Amino acid sequence: AGQFNQMLEKLGEAIEREKRAGEKQKDAQIAALEAQINPHFLYNVLQTIHGEAVLHGDRDIEDMLSSLGEILHYTIDHSNEMTTIAQEIQHVNNYLGFYKKRFPQLFEYSLDCPPELMGHEIMKYLLQPVIENSIKHGFKDKKTGGQIRLQVIHQSGKIIFEVYDNGNGIDEVRLKEIRDDMKQALRNSGVGIANTDARIKLKYGPQYGITLESSTGHYTRVSIMIPETEKR
């Protein structure tokens, strides 16, 4: 009986060791996966590749990696949900610059903001979802001739960001769907423009937010309206 109990005890210890080893292995695998998708890790990798591109004198890759690194740095900085118009425009400039390198003939762009508005504080990521839609949807199936224009306007205590593209436009059915998504996003989770509109309304009030105007096959104009705030 004593020997049998001893064998059971050893077997129990062996099973426990295997269990702990399996847990440690699982922890290691999870840590490895997290390291692979960790944006800080990715940022450091990009910086290393950027250094190699500089070393080999490859200016196109150098510029693309530089833009991508700045985009990532802006995204992983969670120290503040607010930024300045200048920093948001720089983020958009990096984003557009990256796509411009990838598709040199696809589009031209301009970013126009009065210097006195550059220091005003705004929410982060107001512009990228709109700009992203211009490239991914507005210029879908196009090869050349695209135009994106961002204009920042100061008007009666309000700041308006107007994004225009001469892309595919949005038909009436899809336009209604997008507007419905924007209404739903206030109550439920939303993505892209709907999420941005909800964030604006929750922070600044229901009188602010995004309006869309479009003509199928001709253009889309998205206006983002927020209240004027103090300079940072």
Side-chain angles (χ1 to χ4, degrees), residues 144-188:
T144 59
Q147 289 179 17
I148 296 174
R149 293 201 299 267
L150 166 68
Q151 190 170 16
V152 187
I153 304 157
H154 189 199
Q155 191 180 87
S156 314
K158 298 185 289 288
I159 293 174
I160 299 164
F161 301 88
E162 195 175 273
V163 179
Y164 166 91
D165 73 66
N166 65 340
N168 296 315
I170 309 166
D171 63 47
E172 284 300 320
V173 174
R174 180 61 188 139
L175 209 52
K176 184 182 183 306
E177 285 175 359
I178 294 169
R179 286 171 179 150
D180 288 344
D181 285 345
M182 286 161 72
K183 288 174 189 171
Q184 293 295 323
L186 270 172
R187 295 187 291 275
N188 308 311

CSV table of all heavy atoms in Angstrom, one decimal, residues 144-188:
chain,number,residue,atom,x,y,z
A,144,THR,N,-5.2,57.1,-62.4
A,144,THR,CA,-4.6,58.5,-62.4
A,144,THR,C,-5.7,59.5,-62.2
A,144,THR,O,-6.9,59.2,-62.2
A,144,THR,CB,-3.9,58.8,-63.8
A,144,THR,OG1,-4.9,58.7,-64.8
A,144,THR,CG2,-2.8,57.8,-64.1
A,145,GLY,N,-5.2,60.8,-62.0
A,145,GLY,CA,-6.1,61.9,-62.0
A,145,GLY,C,-6.8,62.3,-60.8
A,145,GLY,O,-7.7,63.2,-60.7
A,146,GLY,N,-6.6,61.5,-59.7
A,146,GLY,CA,-7.3,61.8,-58.4
A,146,GLY,C,-6.8,63.1,-57.8
A,146,GLY,O,-5.6,63.5,-57.9
A,147,GLN,N,-7.7,63.8,-57.1
A,147,GLN,CA,-7.4,65.0,-56.3
A,147,GLN,C,-8.0,64.9,-55.0
A,147,GLN,O,-9.2,64.6,-54.8
A,147,GLN,CB,-7.9,66.2,-57.0
A,147,GLN,CG,-7.2,66.6,-58.3
A,147,GLN,CD,-7.8,67.9,-58.9
A,147,GLN,OE1,-8.6,68.6,-58.3
A,147,GLN,NE2,-7.5,68.1,-60.2
A,148,ILE,N,-7.2,65.2,-53.9
A,148,ILE,CA,-7.7,65.3,-52.6
A,148,ILE,C,-7.3,66.7,-52.1
A,148,ILE,O,-6.2,67.1,-52.2
A,148,ILE,CB,-7.1,64.3,-51.6
A,148,ILE,CG1,-7.5,62.9,-52.1
A,148,ILE,CG2,-7.5,64.5,-50.2
A,148,ILE,CD1,-6.8,61.8,-51.3
A,149,ARG,N,-8.3,67.5,-51.6
A,149,ARG,CA,-8.0,68.8,-51.0
A,149,ARG,C,-8.6,68.9,-49.6
A,149,ARG,O,-9.8,68.6,-49.4
A,149,ARG,CB,-8.7,69.9,-51.9
A,149,ARG,CG,-8.1,70.0,-53.3
A,149,ARG,CD,-8.4,71.4,-53.9
A,149,ARG,NE,-9.8,71.6,-54.0
A,149,ARG,CZ,-10.5,71.3,-55.2
A,149,ARG,NH1,-9.8,70.8,-56.2
A,149,ARG,NH2,-11.7,71.6,-55.3
A,150,LEU,N,-7.7,69.2,-48.7
A,150,LEU,CA,-8.2,69.5,-47.3
A,150,LEU,C,-8.1,71.1,-47.1
A,150,LEU,O,-7.0,71.6,-47.3
A,150,LEU,CB,-7.3,68.8,-46.3
A,150,LEU,CG,-7.4,69.3,-44.8
A,150,LEU,CD1,-8.8,69.0,-44.3
A,150,LEU,CD2,-6.3,68.8,-43.9
A,151,GLN,N,-9.2,71.6,-46.7
A,151,GLN,CA,-9.2,73.1,-46.4
A,151,GLN,C,-9.7,73.3,-44.9
A,151,GLN,O,-10.8,72.7,-44.6
A,151,GLN,CB,-10.0,73.8,-47.4
A,151,GLN,CG,-9.9,75.3,-47.3
A,151,GLN,CD,-10.5,76.0,-48.4
A,151,GLN,OE1,-11.3,75.5,-49.2
A,151,GLN,NE2,-10.2,77.3,-48.6
A,152,VAL,N,-9.0,74.0,-44.1
A,152,VAL,CA,-9.5,74.3,-42.8
A,152,VAL,C,-10.0,75.7,-42.8
A,152,VAL,O,-9.3,76.7,-43.2
A,152,VAL,CB,-8.4,74.1,-41.8
A,152,VAL,CG1,-8.9,74.3,-40.3
A,152,VAL,CG2,-7.7,72.8,-41.9
A,153,ILE,N,-11.2,75.9,-42.3
A,153,ILE,CA,-11.9,77.2,-42.3
A,153,ILE,C,-12.3,77.6,-40.9
A,153,ILE,O,-12.9,76.8,-40.1
A,153,ILE,CB,-13.2,77.1,-43.2
A,153,ILE,CG1,-12.8,76.6,-44.6
A,153,ILE,CG2,-13.9,78.4,-43.3
A,153,ILE,CD1,-13.9,76.0,-45.4
A,154,HIS,N,-12.1,78.9,-40.6
A,154,HIS,CA,-12.5,79.5,-39.3
A,154,HIS,C,-13.8,80.3,-39.6
A,154,HIS,O,-13.8,81.2,-40.4
A,154,HIS,CB,-11.4,80.4,-38.8
A,154,HIS,CG,-11.6,80.8,-37.4
A,154,HIS,ND1,-10.9,81.9,-36.9
A,154,HIS,CD2,-12.4,80.4,-36.4
A,154,HIS,CE1,-11.3,82.1,-35.6
A,154,HIS,NE2,-12.2,81.1,-35.3
A,155,GLN,N,-14.9,80.0,-38.9
A,155,GLN,CA,-16.1,80.6,-39.2
A,155,GLN,C,-17.0,80.8,-38.0
A,155,GLN,O,-17.5,79.8,-37.4
A,155,GLN,CB,-16.9,79.8,-40.3
A,155,GLN,CG,-18.1,80.4,-40.9
A,155,GLN,CD,-18.6,79.4,-42.0
A,155,GLN,OE1,-19.5,78.6,-41.6
A,155,GLN,NE2,-18.2,79.5,-43.2
A,156,SER,N,-17.2,82.0,-37.5
A,156,SER,CA,-18.2,82.3,-36.4
A,156,SER,C,-18.0,81.4,-35.2
A,156,SER,O,-19.0,80.7,-34.8
A,156,SER,CB,-19.6,82.3,-36.9
A,156,SER,OG,-19.8,82.9,-38.1
A,157,GLY,N,-16.8,81.3,-34.7
A,157,GLY,CA,-16.6,80.5,-33.5
A,157,GLY,C,-16.5,79.0,-33.7
A,157,GLY,O,-16.5,78.2,-32.8
A,158,LYS,N,-16.5,78.6,-35.0
A,158,LYS,CA,-16.4,77.2,-35.4
A,158,LYS,C,-15.2,77.0,-36.3
A,158,LYS,O,-14.8,77.9,-37.0
A,158,LYS,CB,-17.7,76.7,-36.1
A,158,LYS,CG,-19.0,76.8,-35.3
A,158,LYS,CD,-20.1,76.3,-36.1
A,158,LYS,CE,-20.6,77.1,-37.2
A,158,LYS,NZ,-21.3,78.3,-36.8
A,159,ILE,N,-14.7,75.7,-36.3
A,159,ILE,CA,-13.6,75.3,-37.2
A,159,ILE,C,-14.2,74.2,-38.0
A,159,ILE,O,-14.7,73.2,-37.5
A,159,ILE,CB,-12.4,74.9,-36.4
A,159,ILE,CG1,-11.7,76.1,-35.7
A,159,ILE,CG2,-11.3,74.3,-37.4
A,159,ILE,CD1,-10.6,75.7,-34.8
A,160,ILE,N,-14.1,74.4,-39.4
A,160,ILE,CA,-14.6,73.4,-40.3
A,160,ILE,C,-13.4,72.8,-41.1
A,160,ILE,O,-12.6,73.6,-41.7
A,160,ILE,CB,-15.6,74.0,-41.2
A,160,ILE,CG1,-16.8,74.6,-40.4
A,160,ILE,CG2,-16.1,73.0,-42.3
A,160,ILE,CD1,-17.7,75.5,-41.2
A,161,PHE,N,-13.3,71.5,-41.1
A,161,PHE,CA,-12.4,70.8,-42.0
A,161,PHE,C,-13.1,70.3,-43.2
A,161,PHE,O,-14.0,69.4,-43.0
A,161,PHE,CB,-11.7,69.6,-41.2
A,161,PHE,CG,-11.0,70.0,-39.9
A,161,PHE,CD1,-11.7,70.1,-38.7
A,161,PHE,CD2,-9.7,70.3,-39.9
A,161,PHE,CE1,-11.1,70.5,-37.6
A,161,PHE,CE2,-9.0,70.7,-38.8
A,161,PHE,CZ,-9.7,70.8,-37.6
A,162,GLU,N,-12.8,70.8,-44.3
A,162,GLU,CA,-13.5,70.3,-45.5
A,162,GLU,C,-12.6,69.5,-46.4
A,162,GLU,O,-11.5,69.9,-46.8
A,162,GLU,CB,-13.9,71.6,-46.3
A,162,GLU,CG,-15.0,71.2,-47.4
A,162,GLU,CD,-15.5,72.5,-48.1
A,162,GLU,OE1,-16.5,73.1,-47.6
A,162,GLU,OE2,-14.9,72.9,-49.1
A,163,VAL,N,-13.0,68.2,-46.6
A,163,VAL,CA,-12.2,67.3,-47.4
A,163,VAL,C,-12.9,67.0,-48.7
A,163,VAL,O,-14.0,66.5,-48.7
A,163,VAL,CB,-11.9,66.0,-46.6
A,163,VAL,CG1,-11.1,65.0,-47.5
A,163,VAL,CG2,-11.2,66.2,-45.3
A,164,TYR,N,-12.3,67.3,-49.8
A,164,TYR,CA,-12.9,67.1,-51.1
A,164,TYR,C,-12.1,66.1,-51.9
A,164,TYR,O,-10.8,66.2,-51.9
A,164,TYR,CB,-12.9,68.5,-51.9
A,164,TYR,CG,-13.2,68.4,-53.4
A,164,TYR,CD1,-14.5,68.4,-53.8
A,164,TYR,CD2,-12.2,68.2,-54.3
A,164,TYR,CE1,-14.8,68.3,-55.2
A,164,TYR,CE2,-12.4,68.1,-55.6
A,164,TYR,CZ,-13.7,68.1,-56.1
A,164,TYR,OH,-14.0,68.0,-57.4
A,165,ASP,N,-12.7,65.2,-52.6
A,165,ASP,CA,-12.1,64.4,-53.6
A,165,ASP,C,-12.9,64.3,-54.9
A,165,ASP,O,-14.1,64.4,-54.8
A,165,ASP,CB,-11.7,63.0,-53.1
A,165,ASP,CG,-12.9,62.1,-52.9
A,165,ASP,OD1,-13.5,61.7,-53.9
A,165,ASP,OD2,-13.3,61.7,-51.8
A,166,ASN,N,-12.2,64.1,-56.0
A,166,ASN,CA,-12.9,64.1,-57.3
A,166,ASN,C,-13.1,62.6,-57.7
A,166,ASN,O,-13.0,62.3,-58.9
A,166,ASN,CB,-12.2,64.8,-58.4
A,166,ASN,CG,-10.8,64.2,-58.7
A,166,ASN,OD1,-10.3,63.5,-57.9
A,166,ASN,ND2,-10.2,64.6,-59.8
A,167,GLY,N,-13.3,61.7,-56.8
A,167,GLY,CA,-13.4,60.3,-57.0
A,167,GLY,C,-14.8,59.8,-57.5
A,167,GLY,O,-15.5,60.5,-58.1
A,168,ASN,N,-15.1,58.6,-57.2
A,168,ASN,CA,-16.2,57.9,-57.7
A,168,ASN,C,-17.6,58.4,-57.1
A,168,ASN,O,-18.6,58.2,-57.7
A,168,ASN,CB,-16.2,56.4,-57.3
A,168,ASN,CG,-15.0,55.7,-58.0
A,168,ASN,OD1,-14.8,55.9,-59.2
A,168,ASN,ND2,-14.3,54.9,-57.2
A,169,GLY,N,-17.5,59.2,-56.0
A,169,GLY,CA,-18.7,59.7,-55.4
A,169,GLY,C,-19.5,58.5,-54.7
A,169,GLY,O,-19.0,57.4,-54.7
A,170,ILE,N,-20.6,58.9,-54.1
A,170,ILE,CA,-21.4,57.9,-53.3
A,170,ILE,C,-22.8,58.0,-53.8
A,170,ILE,O,-23.4,59.1,-53.9
A,170,ILE,CB,-21.3,58.3,-51.8
A,170,ILE,CG1,-19.9,58.4,-51.3
A,170,ILE,CG2,-22.1,57.2,-51.0
A,170,ILE,CD1,-19.7,59.1,-50.0
A,171,ASP,N,-23.4,56.9,-54.2
A,171,ASP,CA,-24.8,57.0,-54.7
A,171,ASP,C,-25.7,57.2,-53.5
A,171,ASP,O,-25.4,57.0,-52.3
A,171,ASP,CB,-25.2,55.7,-55.5
A,171,ASP,CG,-25.1,54.4,-54.7
A,171,ASP,OD1,-25.6,54.4,-53.5
A,171,ASP,OD2,-24.5,53.4,-55.2
A,172,GLU,N,-27.0,57.5,-53.8
A,172,GLU,CA,-28.0,57.9,-52.8
A,172,GLU,C,-28.2,56.7,-51.8
A,172,GLU,O,-28.4,57.0,-50.6
A,172,GLU,CB,-29.3,58.3,-53.4
A,172,GLU,CG,-29.3,59.7,-54.1
A,172,GLU,CD,-28.9,60.8,-53.1
A,172,GLU,OE1,-29.4,60.7,-51.9
A,172,GLU,OE2,-28.2,61.7,-53.4
A,173,VAL,N,-28.3,55.5,-52.2
A,173,VAL,CA,-28.5,54.4,-51.4
A,173,VAL,C,-27.4,54.2,-50.3
A,173,VAL,O,-27.7,54.1,-49.1
A,173,VAL,CB,-28.7,53.1,-52.2
A,173,VAL,CG1,-28.8,51.9,-51.2
A,173,VAL,CG2,-29.9,53.1,-53.1
A,174,ARG,N,-26.2,54.3,-50.8
A,174,ARG,CA,-25.0,54.1,-49.9
A,174,ARG,C,-24.9,55.3,-49.0
A,174,ARG,O,-24.5,55.2,-47.8
A,174,ARG,CB,-23.7,54.0,-50.7
A,174,ARG,CG,-22.5,53.8,-49.9
A,174,ARG,CD,-22.5,52.6,-49.0
A,174,ARG,NE,-21.4,52.6,-48.1
A,174,ARG,CZ,-21.4,52.2,-46.8
A,174,ARG,NH1,-22.6,51.8,-46.3
A,174,ARG,NH2,-20.4,52.2,-46.1
A,175,LEU,N,-25.2,56.5,-49.5
A,175,LEU,CA,-25.2,57.7,-48.7
A,175,LEU,C,-26.1,57.6,-47.5
A,175,LEU,O,-25.8,58.0,-46.4
A,175,LEU,CB,-25.5,59.0,-49.6
A,175,LEU,CG,-24.9,60.3,-49.2
A,175,LEU,CD1,-23.4,60.3,-49.0
A,175,LEU,CD2,-25.3,61.4,-50.2
A,176,LYS,N,-27.3,57.1,-47.8
A,176,LYS,CA,-28.3,56.9,-46.7
A,176,LYS,C,-27.8,55.9,-45.7
A,176,LYS,O,-28.0,56.1,-44.5
A,176,LYS,CB,-29.7,56.4,-47.3
A,176,LYS,CG,-30.7,56.3,-46.2
A,176,LYS,CD,-32.0,55.8,-46.8
A,176,LYS,CE,-33.1,55.7,-45.8
A,176,LYS,NZ,-32.8,54.9,-44.6
A,177,GLU,N,-27.2,54.8,-46.2
A,177,GLU,CA,-26.6,53.8,-45.3
A,177,GLU,C,-25.5,54.4,-44.3
A,177,GLU,O,-25.5,54.1,-43.1
A,177,GLU,CB,-25.9,52.7,-46.1
A,177,GLU,CG,-26.9,51.7,-46.7
A,177,GLU,CD,-26.2,50.7,-47.6
A,177,GLU,OE1,-25.0,50.7,-47.7
A,177,GLU,OE2,-26.9,49.8,-48.2
A,178,ILE,N,-24.7,55.3,-44.9
A,178,ILE,CA,-23.6,55.9,-44.1
A,178,ILE,C,-24.2,56.8,-43.1
A,178,ILE,O,-23.8,56.8,-41.9
A,178,ILE,CB,-22.6,56.7,-45.0
A,178,ILE,CG1,-21.9,55.7,-45.9
A,178,ILE,CG2,-21.7,57.5,-44.2
A,178,ILE,CD1,-21.1,56.4,-47.0
A,179,ARG,N,-25.3,57.6,-43.4
A,179,ARG,CA,-25.9,58.5,-42.5
A,179,ARG,C,-26.6,57.7,-41.4
A,179,ARG,O,-26.6,58.1,-40.2
A,179,ARG,CB,-26.9,59.4,-43.2
A,179,ARG,CG,-26.2,60.5,-44.0
A,179,ARG,CD,-27.1,61.3,-44.9
A,179,ARG,NE,-26.4,62.3,-45.7
A,179,ARG,CZ,-26.7,62.7,-46.9
A,179,ARG,NH1,-27.8,62.2,-47.5
A,179,ARG,NH2,-26.0,63.7,-47.5
A,180,ASP,N,-27.2,56.6,-41.8
A,180,ASP,CA,-27.8,55.7,-40.7
A,180,ASP,C,-26.8,55.1,-39.8
A,180,ASP,O,-27.0,55.0,-38.6
A,180,ASP,CB,-28.6,54.5,-41.4
A,180,ASP,CG,-29.9,55.0,-42.1
A,180,ASP,OD1,-30.3,56.1,-41.8
A,180,ASP,OD2,-30.4,54.3,-42.9
A,181,ASP,N,-25.6,54.7,-40.4
A,181,ASP,CA,-24.5,54.2,-39.5
A,181,ASP,C,-24.1,55.3,-38.5
A,181,ASP,O,-23.7,55.0,-37.4
A,181,ASP,CB,-23.3,53.8,-40.4
A,181,ASP,CG,-23.5,52.5,-41.2
A,181,ASP,OD1,-24.5,51.8,-40.8
A,181,ASP,OD2,-22.8,52.3,-42.1
A,182,MET,N,-24.0,56.5,-39.0
A,182,MET,CA,-23.6,57.6,-38.1
A,182,MET,C,-24.6,57.8,-36.9
A,182,MET,O,-24.2,58.1,-35.8
A,182,MET,CB,-23.5,58.9,-38.9
A,182,MET,CG,-22.2,58.9,-39.8
A,182,MET,SD,-22.3,60.1,-41.2
A,182,MET,CE,-22.1,61.7,-40.3
A,183,LYS,N,-25.9,57.6,-37.2
A,183,LYS,CA,-26.9,57.7,-36.1
A,183,LYS,C,-26.7,56.6,-35.2
A,183,LYS,O,-26.8,56.7,-33.9
A,183,LYS,CB,-28.3,57.7,-36.7
A,183,LYS,CG,-28.7,59.0,-37.4
A,183,LYS,CD,-30.0,58.9,-38.1
A,183,LYS,CE,-30.3,60.1,-39.0
A,183,LYS,NZ,-31.5,59.9,-39.9
A,184,GLN,N,-26.5,55.4,-35.7
A,184,GLN,CA,-26.4,54.2,-34.9
A,184,GLN,C,-25.1,54.2,-34.0
A,184,GLN,O,-25.1,53.7,-32.9
A,184,GLN,CB,-26.3,52.9,-35.8
A,184,GLN,CG,-27.6,52.6,-36.5
A,184,GLN,CD,-28.8,52.2,-35.5
A,184,GLN,OE1,-28.6,51.6,-34.5
A,184,GLN,NE2,-30.0,52.7,-35.9
A,185,ALA,N,-24.1,54.8,-34.5
A,185,ALA,CA,-22.8,54.8,-33.8
A,185,ALA,C,-22.8,55.5,-32.5
A,185,ALA,O,-22.0,55.3,-31.6
A,185,ALA,CB,-21.7,55.4,-34.7
A,186,LEU,N,-23.8,56.4,-32.3
A,186,LEU,CA,-23.9,57.1,-31.0
A,186,LEU,C,-24.4,56.2,-29.9
A,186,LEU,O,-24.0,56.3,-28.8
A,186,LEU,CB,-24.9,58.3,-31.1
A,186,LEU,CG,-24.4,59.6,-31.5
A,186,LEU,CD1,-25.5,60.6,-31.8
A,186,LEU,CD2,-23.4,60.2,-30.5
A,187,ARG,N,-25.1,55.1,-30.3
A,187,ARG,CA,-25.6,54.1,-29.4
A,187,ARG,C,-24.8,52.9,-29.3
A,187,ARG,O,-24.6,52.3,-28.3
A,187,ARG,CB,-27.1,53.8,-29.7
A,187,ARG,CG,-28.0,55.0,-29.5
A,187,ARG,CD,-29.5,54.5,-29.7
A,187,ARG,NE,-29.8,54.2,-31.0
A,187,ARG,CZ,-30.1,55.0,-32.0
A,187,ARG,NH1,-30.2,56.3,-31.7
A,187,ARG,NH2,-30.4,54.6,-33.2
A,188,ASN,N,-24.3,52.5,-30.5
A,188,ASN,CA,-23.5,51.3,-30.6
A,188,ASN,C,-22.1,51.6,-31.1
A,188,ASN,O,-21.8,52.7,-31.5
A,188,ASN,CB,-24.2,50.3,-31.6
A,188,ASN,CG,-25.6,50.0,-31.2
A,188,ASN,OD1,-25.9,49.8,-30.1
A,188,ASN,ND2,-26.5,50.2,-32.2
